[in-house]
Amino acid sequence: MSANRRFRNVRRIGPVQVATYFDGRGRTKHTAACTVPRCGFSTDYDSRPAAELAARTHRCSAR
């Protein structure tokens, strides 16, 4: 079963989108996901600055 997440505070940094959501236990999490086809980069972080840093330093291997 897929997770039903409601993302908020979505921001785009280059090809990567950074968003905030609540996980299944009510904790605030932050995710960074690349929107380039066939890239596959997506990670979750406990802090927003860490997710934004990952978005800024991400280099797409799908190009």
Side-chain angles (χ1 to χ4, degrees):
M1 184 172 168
S2 66
N4 185 11
R5 296 187 179 132
R6 292 184 180 251
F7 294 104
R8 57 188 168 87
N9 197 9
V10 178
R11 182 174 175 202
R12 189 174 186 101
I13 300 173
V16 181
Q17 285 188 338
V18 178
T20 303
Y21 69 96
F22 292 113
D23 68 355
R25 298 182 182 200
R27 296 176 294 200
T28 301
K29 294 286 187 171
H30 309 277
T31 189
C34 187
T35 58
V36 174
R38 296 185 309 269
C39 178
F41 173 75
S42 175
T43 55
D44 292 332
Y45 296 95
D46 291 331
S47 68
R48 180 76 182 206
E52 289 183 3
L53 179 64
R56 284 189 195 97
T57 59
H58 172 66
R59 299 291 174 248
C60 242
S61 60
R63 291 181 185 184

